[in-house]
Amino acid sequence: MRSFLSDKATCNSHGQDSSYFLGWQEYEKNPFHEVQNPNGIIQMGLAENQLSFDILESWLAKNPDAAGFRRDGVSNFRDLALFQDYHGLPSFKKALVEFMSEIRGNKVTFDQNKIVLTAGATSANETLMFCLANKGEAFLLPTPYYPGFDRDLKWRTGVEIVPIHCSSANGYQVTESALEQAYEEAENRNLKVKGVLVTNPSNPLGTTMSRTELNQVIDFVTEKEIHLISDEIYSGTVFNSPGFVSVMEVLKDRKLENSEVWKRIHIVYSLSKDLGLPGFRVGAVYSNDEMVVSAATKMSSFGLISSQTQYLLSEMLSDKEFTKNYIKENQKRLQNRYKKLVAGLENAGITCLKSNAGLFGWVDMRHLLSSKTFEAEMELWKKIVYDVKLNISPGSSCHCDEPGWFRVCFANMSEETLSLAMERLKSFVESITPLSQHQRTKQAYKKSITKWVFRVSYSSDREPEER
């Protein structure tokens, strides 16, 4: 039967066998529910933002015309139901670029004629790969990186990923030496490097890139005469300092608008994380290169956003009072939820990388490994999934160089569910961690105090009878 199918249909490069996706499969077999299945697996491997749905629902209730496909009380359903070309609704493109600017503190502006609408960031990233690289050519990515990139960037395009090895020793910052080493590795593999792709803020780290890092990367791609893709789909989730700095802001600060590198830097954006709407499938490519915009627009025919979705969101994002309130309140809620995650982890004797963005924590469980190996990491991960019943993502699925790190999502569940997850994790850690000498001494001291209080109390109770 395989001989009747294409090589693409039978190849195994999709990445579906990654532990990142396997954890999802286990969750789907036994999903947690507060009432119907309280002992099920809690999904902590899905980076969804469900903390601000009430704000969105409140806007919809106050603006029934938008949800009912009406304008000024008159139905525009027929107009939206008829064929729309792949350039997208001008009103939505205008509202989207203005929202992107607002998230960036209006420090940069975007031209709606340079944006291409796609069915989510997955489609946007793949489209850029098709535009910028040929099969067998390479992009450099800092580690750890989003596991889905193995599918999004490689599967259908044939493009190769070469890791830029980053270390926990410096908080996974991208360094000049790491960039050069990755470039040399690609050359040693006879791969032509076409560009660098960074996620800022980072998935899975939940950190933003500094200006120093961004300047280093811009200098690097300028010197090598290659492209830079900045995936900024988490830009609106920054909840703590340092704030978010877009690559476009750095370019403009350096007055590089008329330079050659200006056309080789591209941005990927989406409303899946910042607005919490992954099911709406709204993504975008932004590029200063007219040829890239033209080619990407043609390719977007294979993954369009429905006209109904565009109309609804154009109305929502054009409401500046709404967007201002949403951005502020959503970031506040993310910050509070992140604090609860950190507190719950600390209560279980676990720490995580200091984050200031995203929907997850990069959690350090190296001390729980039976050995400093990725085999031990997988052993620990299986216990957490099958025994503790928490689906988290092991660092190896994110191509982390060091075993024992895990991505743990916190914004796709209720506060009560997060507390339950932390209780389960604490019980598990206590069951596998031998007591330290300090803990044993502390417990022995508590027992001796209890016995002494009991003896004093007993003597006091008996004294009247003995007199």
Side-chain angles (χ1 to χ4, degrees):
M1 177 60 73
R2 292 173 65 90
S3 62
F4 290 99
L5 302 177
S6 69
D7 291 341
K8 187 63 63 182
T10 57
C11 73
N12 193 33
S13 59
H14 180 275
Q16 195 69 31
D17 57 349
S18 164
S19 53
Y20 174 74
F21 293 110
L22 293 177
W24 284 20
Q25 293 174 19
E26 292 306 313
Y27 163 77
E28 289 169 358
K29 295 176 186 175
N30 184 23
F32 168 83
H33 188 276
E34 294 89 339
V35 177
Q36 298 174 4
N37 191 21
N39 296 317
I41 296 175
I42 296 175
Q43 174 63 290
M44 307 188 82
L46 181 60
E48 280 187 344
N49 182 6
Q50 299 182 19
L51 301 187
S52 299
F53 272 162
D54 62 306
I55 303 177
L56 301 175
E57 290 168 338
S58 175
W59 185 90
L60 290 171
K62 295 175 182 177
N63 296 270
D65 274 11
F69 307 123
R70 293 185 299 272
R71 178 172 282 125
D72 300 324
V74 179
S75 173
N76 61 351
F77 173 78
R78 292 188 180 186
D79 293 336
L80 296 171
L82 295 175
F83 174 77
Q84 303 282 346
D85 71 21
Y86 46 55
H87 291 86
L89 299 182
S91 60
F92 175 58
K93 294 172 77 172
K94 179 178 183 294
L96 182 60
V97 296
E98 289 177 353
F99 185 64
M100 291 170 62
S101 296
E102 186 175 5
I103 283 174
R104 290 154 181 78
N106 291 311
K107 296 175 182 177
V108 291
T109 57
F110 297 92
D111 183 348
Q112 70 184 75
N113 295 313
K114 295 181 178 181
I115 199 165
V116 180
L117 302 179
T118 63
T122 293
S123 179
N125 276 306
E126 185 186 56
T127 297
L128 276 175
M129 289 298 109
F130 276 123
C131 289
L132 307 180
N134 294 310
K135 180 179 180 180
E137 295 177 335
F139 261 75
L140 312 181
L141 271 69
T143 61
Y145 61 78
Y146 166 53
F149 279 151
D150 292 322
R151 169 201 62 201
D152 303 352
L153 309 183
K154 295 173 55 176
W155 184 44
R156 297 198 299 187
T157 66
V159 172
E160 296 294 330
I161 294 176
V162 177
I164 302 169
H165 296 287
C166 301
S167 169
S168 62
N170 71 345
Y172 298 98
Q173 293 183 44
V174 178
T175 63
E176 185 178 349
S177 60
L179 287 164
E180 290 292 350
Q181 289 171 9
Y183 195 88
E184 290 176 11
E185 180 185 340
E187 287 187 322
N188 292 336
R189 292 169 54 185
N190 295 317
L191 295 172
K192 182 179 181 180
V193 176
K194 295 303 293 289
V196 175
L197 186 152
V198 297
T199 56
N200 181 30
S202 168
N203 175 11
L205 300 177
T207 56
T208 50
M209 294 183 72
S210 66
R211 285 183 180 271
T212 300
E213 289 178 277
L214 289 168
N215 277 311
Q216 282 182 164
V217 175
I218 290 171
D219 291 341
F220 178 78
V221 300
T222 301
E223 177 195 344
K224 302 297 184 185
E225 297 184 333
I226 58 178
H227 296 274
L228 170 60
I229 299 173
S230 182
D231 185 326
E232 300 183 357
I233 69 172
Y234 287 93
S235 52
T237 69
V238 180
F239 53 76
N240 214 338
S241 60
F244 172 70
V245 179
S246 171
V247 67
M248 201 62 67
E249 183 180 339
V250 177
L251 288 173
K252 292 193 174 183
D253 287 348
R254 292 176 58 170
K255 296 178 171 56
L256 294 173
E257 291 94 329
N258 298 316
S259 67
E260 194 63 32
V261 74
W262 176 256
K263 290 188 176 182
R264 297 201 309 272
I265 295 183
H266 322 275
I267 290 176
V268 167
Y269 187 61
S270 164
L271 295 181
S272 295
K273 312 303 179 182
D274 289 356
L275 210 58
L277 300 174
F280 278 36
R281 307 310 305 145
V282 177
V285 170
Y286 188 87
S287 177
N288 293 308
D289 189 320
E290 292 181 3
M291 290 186 66
V292 171
V293 172
S294 176
T297 300
K298 295 169 187 174
M299 291 181 188
S300 69
S301 295
F302 299 100
L304 298 173
I305 306 168
S306 76
S307 298
Q308 293 86 346
T309 298
Q310 292 185 56
Y311 172 71
L312 171 61
L313 293 177
S314 68
E315 295 291 299
M316 180 180 286
L317 297 182
S318 296
D319 185 340
K320 301 308 177 187
E321 183 179 348
F322 162 78
T323 56
K324 179 182 179 180
N325 174 63
Y326 179 88
I327 292 170
K328 181 180 179 180
E329 182 63 24
N330 183 57
Q331 292 172 346
K332 179 182 176 181
R333 294 181 185 188
L334 287 171
Q335 182 182 45
N336 290 336
R337 183 57 63 87
Y338 172 72
K339 288 180 179 178
K340 291 184 183 300
L341 173 72
V342 172
L345 291 170
E346 289 180 349
N347 193 39
I350 297 172
T351 60
C352 62
L353 183 72
K354 185 177 180 180
S355 300
N356 65 321
L359 312 174
F360 31 71
W362 187 240
V363 178
D364 184 1
M365 299 192 193
R366 289 175 292 179
H367 62 297
L368 300 179
L369 299 180
S370 58
S371 63
K372 296 179 180 181
T373 64
F374 285 109
E375 290 77 14
E377 178 183 279
M378 290 307 298
E379 177 186 340
L380 177 61
W381 174 73
K382 289 178 180 177
K383 289 179 180 178
I384 293 174
V385 172
Y386 293 105
D387 299 338
V388 189
K389 291 186 171 55
L390 304 178
N391 176 37
I392 62 178
S393 305
S396 54
S397 71
C398 303
H399 301 272
C400 184
D401 291 343
E402 186 178 11
W405 292 87
F406 295 81
R407 191 192 76 166
V408 179
C409 299
F410 58 75
N412 63 323
M413 66 194 74
S414 68
E415 187 175 320
E416 293 75 18
T417 301
L418 178 62
S419 296
L420 174 60
M422 294 298 97
E423 290 173 10
R424 288 184 183 182
L425 190 59
K426 180 183 179 183
S427 297
F428 169 70
V429 172
E430 290 175 347
S431 71
I432 65 169
T433 307
L435 289 176
S436 66
Q437 182 60 46
H438 172 71
Q439 288 172 317
R440 285 195 294 267
T441 302
K442 191 174 180 180
Q443 285 194 2
Y445 175 75
K446 283 184 177 180
K447 288 181 179 179
S448 64
I449 288 292
T450 300
K451 289 180 179 178
W452 180 78
V453 170
F454 176 77
R455 286 199 300 270
V456 170
S457 173
Y458 180 79
S459 299
S460 176
D461 289 344
R462 296 284 296 178
E463 190 173 355
E465 291 183 17
E466 292 171 352
R467 286 179 184 172

